[in-house]
Amino acid sequence: MQTRKSFIAKLSAAAAAITGLSSFKQQPMDKELKNVFIHHVYFWLKNADSKADRDKLVEGLTKLSKVKTIQNFHIGKPADTNREVIERGYAVSWMLQFANGTDQASYQTDPVHLKFVEDYSHLWSKVIVYDSVDV
Amino acid sequence: MQTRKSFIAKLSAAAAAITGLSSFKQQPMDKELKNVFIHHVYFWLKNADSKADRDKLVEGLTKLSKVKTIQNFHIGKPADTNREVIERGYAVSWMLQFANGTDQASYQTDPVHLKFVEDYSHLWSKVIVYDSVDV
């Protein structure tokens, strides 16, 4: 009987955990990213209109995305939006999220990153980088 | 006895559900953001060194973050990184993720956004916007 009671107690704890999870999921999601280091790079190509060169750079970034400390990444191109304040001359947007500045610093010197620069930097004429942390 | 058996059956199902959740969490996450519209705005303040004005703008952005179509957002400031390619003259980074361009367009004309511009645009001297979609 002791064993069965213990079994029921464990399952009860499990059920309580599920209840906790369920109520968590029903709450509105927190949309705010906190405790992140956002490293956003915009690349201008030497051959600005070359689809082949853009594809090549995207190939390189896809390899680069394997760096372990990267939490999330996005490879983008300019959207169709067009207003005076919008910069749309770049060819590729490379947005990375890291847990902190230390992880971003280690990414800069990661062999995968150094190899990326070696193999693909001939493609771009300019990069602008914006590194942002929580206010 | 029937009741107790039924109780145990339910708890067992609950425990199985927990096991399922756990194994899901152990799988490697897909780090690539896909099917997103990234709207990244950088604000330069008229009073570039005013902490009070930056706080005020952050207050405004926090209100603005309530717009329903925003999936995720980050309010940032320049990190400590400092290399030639890094732009660090802006005061506030405002990064938004939308599901698509339609949602971003509706955000532009959302009453909450218009009110934000009305109440806070006196604070900034310049904005640069980068709108990016999947390559």
Side-chain angles (χ1 to χ4, degrees), chain A residues 1 4-5 7-8 11, chain B residues 1-12:
Chain A
M1 195 63 194
R4 183 183 288 167
K5 272 189 181 158
F7 178 62
I8 291 177
L11 286 174
Chain B
M1 198 60 197
Q2 193 57 43
T3 305
R4 183 184 286 167
K5 273 188 181 160
S6 167
F7 178 62
I8 291 176
K10 280 180 190 161
L11 286 173
S12 296

Side-chain angles (χ1 to χ4, degrees), chain A residues 4 14 18 31 33 40 42 68 70 72-74 76-77 79 81 83 85 87 90 129-134, chain B residues 4 14 18 31 33 40 68 70 72-74 76-77 79 81 85 87 90 108 129-134:
Chain A
R4 183 183 288 167
I18 284 181
K31 300 175 172 184
L33 303 174
H40 206 153
Y42 303 95
K68 292 279 190 300
I70 296 173
N72 286 295
F73 71 92
H74 181 254
K77 62 181 181 184
T81 51
R83 288 173 288 129
V85 292
E87 171 60 69
Y90 65 97
V129 177
Y130 295 81
D131 283 341
S132 309
V133 294
D134 299 7
Chain B
R4 183 184 286 167
I18 284 183
K31 299 175 171 184
L33 303 174
H40 206 154
K68 292 281 190 298
I70 296 172
N72 286 296
F73 70 93
H74 181 254
K77 62 181 181 184
T81 50
V85 292
E87 171 61 68
Y90 66 97
Q108 290 295 336
V129 177
Y130 295 82
D131 282 341
S132 309
V133 293
D134 301 7

Side-chain angles (χ1 to χ4, degrees), chain A residues 21, chain B residues 15-27:
Chain A
L21 280 173
Chain B
I18 284 183
T19 306
L21 280 171
S22 299
S23 62
F24 175 76
K25 285 170 77 177
Q26 281 163 11
Q27 280 175 15

Side-chain angles (χ1 to χ4, degrees), chain B residues 92-126:
Chain B
V92 176
S93 153
W94 169 237
M95 197 275 286
L96 301 180
Q97 291 174 23
F98 295 96
N100 51 54
T102 306
D103 281 0
Q104 195 279 144
S106 81
Y107 157 82
Q108 290 295 336
T109 55
D110 191 290
V112 176
H113 189 246
L114 301 179
K115 178 83 173 129
F116 164 77
V117 173
E118 187 182 323
D119 291 349
Y120 296 95
S121 61
H122 66 279
L123 294 171
W124 65 77
S125 57
K126 182 172 83 163

Side-chain angles (χ1 to χ4, degrees), chain A residues 13-75:
Chain A
I18 284 181
T19 307
L21 280 173
S22 300
S23 62
F24 174 78
K25 284 171 76 178
Q26 281 161 11
Q27 283 174 14
M29 288 284 289
D30 189 356
K31 300 175 172 184
E32 181 162 18
L33 303 174
K34 294 287 269 183
N35 300 311
V36 292
F37 185 112
I38 295 183
H39 176 68
H40 206 153
V41 184
Y42 303 95
F43 293 90
W44 276 252
L45 292 177
K46 278 184 190 154
N47 303 314
D49 300 323
S50 168
K51 173 82 165 58
D53 281 10
R54 191 183 75 188
D55 289 348
K56 196 80 186 160
L57 179 54
V58 169
E59 169 198 289
L61 293 171
T62 303
K63 289 181 196 168
L64 182 53
S65 73
K66 307 306 177 199
V67 173
K68 292 279 190 300
T69 52
I70 296 173
Q71 289 186 323
N72 286 295
F73 71 92
H74 181 254
I75 304 175

Side-chain angles (χ1 to χ4, degrees), chain B residues 43-55 57 89-92 120 122-126:
Chain B
F43 293 91
W44 277 253
L45 292 177
K46 277 182 191 156
N47 302 315
D49 300 323
S50 169
K51 173 81 165 58
D53 281 10
R54 191 184 75 186
D55 289 348
L57 179 54
Y90 66 97
V92 176
Y120 296 95
H122 66 279
L123 294 171
W124 65 77
S125 57
K126 182 172 83 163

